[in-house]
Amino acid sequence: MNVQTRLEANAILDRLVADGSTFSRNDARRLIELIPVTPRSWFAFKGIFKGPGSSIRGHAPGHGDVELKGESKEKTITLNVPASHRIGGYVVMHTPGSIYIELMWAETKMDQSGLSCLLDYDRASKEPDAMRIAAQKSLSVFFLTFNYISYVSWKQPEQV
């Protein structure tokens, strides 16, 4: 994507995610045209695994026992995730029938609610259907907790 296309897409994204219960059909149609489509895979996964960092214990003369803790370890794993585009403060992925929009630094937040959304559209006519927003939920199994995102109804296209 060239600079002019990115600037236009950024302005459209700002308008689409602005407050309100509706969004512009024309903006949605134009965004669908601008963002390159990546084929959808039958399975995609993105996960972040966090673990404790290293630590050192010892005795410091005049201070007593001390412990220095290192930074926690973090590993990100992705599998078959569609190509993304960085546009302004957004990361955008376009698969047939849907455009995923996420705030650029969303992954640094513990709660992902409201930090991403989907623009759904009819694949044949390219007419926008609705926008759905992220709602984070948790599932605990024994000592593991899985956080996952589901998308709930948010905005409808404005009536002409």
Side-chain angles (χ1 to χ4, degrees):
M1 294 176 61
N2 65 36
V3 174
Q4 188 61 36
T5 303
R6 285 181 189 277
L7 290 171
E8 182 181 358
N10 187 53
I12 292 170
L13 288 165
D14 284 343
R15 291 191 298 268
L16 287 175
V17 301
D19 289 339
S21 59
T22 62
F23 63 93
S24 165
R25 284 181 186 275
N26 291 334
D27 279 346
R29 284 187 204 115
R30 183 65 181 144
L31 189 66
I32 293 164
E33 289 175 13
L34 290 175
I35 308 298
V37 179
T38 302
R40 186 182 305 251
S41 63
W42 64 273
F43 176 77
F45 175 78
K46 179 179 179 182
I48 299 173
F49 298 94
K50 295 180 181 179
S54 60
S55 63
I56 299 172
R57 288 185 181 168
H59 183 79
H63 292 284
D65 292 337
V66 294
E67 181 177 2
L68 299 172
K69 292 185 179 185
E71 291 185 28
S72 63
K73 297 175 185 175
E74 189 174 288
K75 174 103 173 149
T76 301
I77 296 175
T78 59
L79 178 65
N80 291 333
V81 176
S84 62
H85 304 277
R86 293 176 185 246
I87 300 171
Y90 305 96
V91 175
V92 179
M93 287 183 273
H94 188 179
T95 56
S98 184
I99 297 179
Y100 171 81
I101 304 164
E102 177 182 71
L103 291 173
M104 183 145 330
W105 304 110
E107 63 206 26
T108 64
K109 304 289 185 188
M110 288 298 288
D111 186 1
Q112 296 290 302
S113 296
L115 300 180
S116 64
C117 63
L118 294 172
L119 168 62
D120 295 324
Y121 66 91
D122 181 81
R123 291 169 69 171
S125 67
K126 302 219 189 297
E127 274 300 307
D129 291 330
M131 289 184 74
R132 297 180 291 143
I133 195 161
Q136 183 169 309
K137 298 180 180 179
S138 298
L139 172 67
S140 294
V141 179
F142 299 113
F143 59 89
L144 294 173
T145 299
F146 297 96
N147 291 324
Y148 63 96
I149 306 295
S150 63
Y151 289 88
V152 297
S153 183
W154 181 34
K155 293 183 174 192
Q156 297 298 314
E158 61 191 15
Q159 298 301 319
V160 185

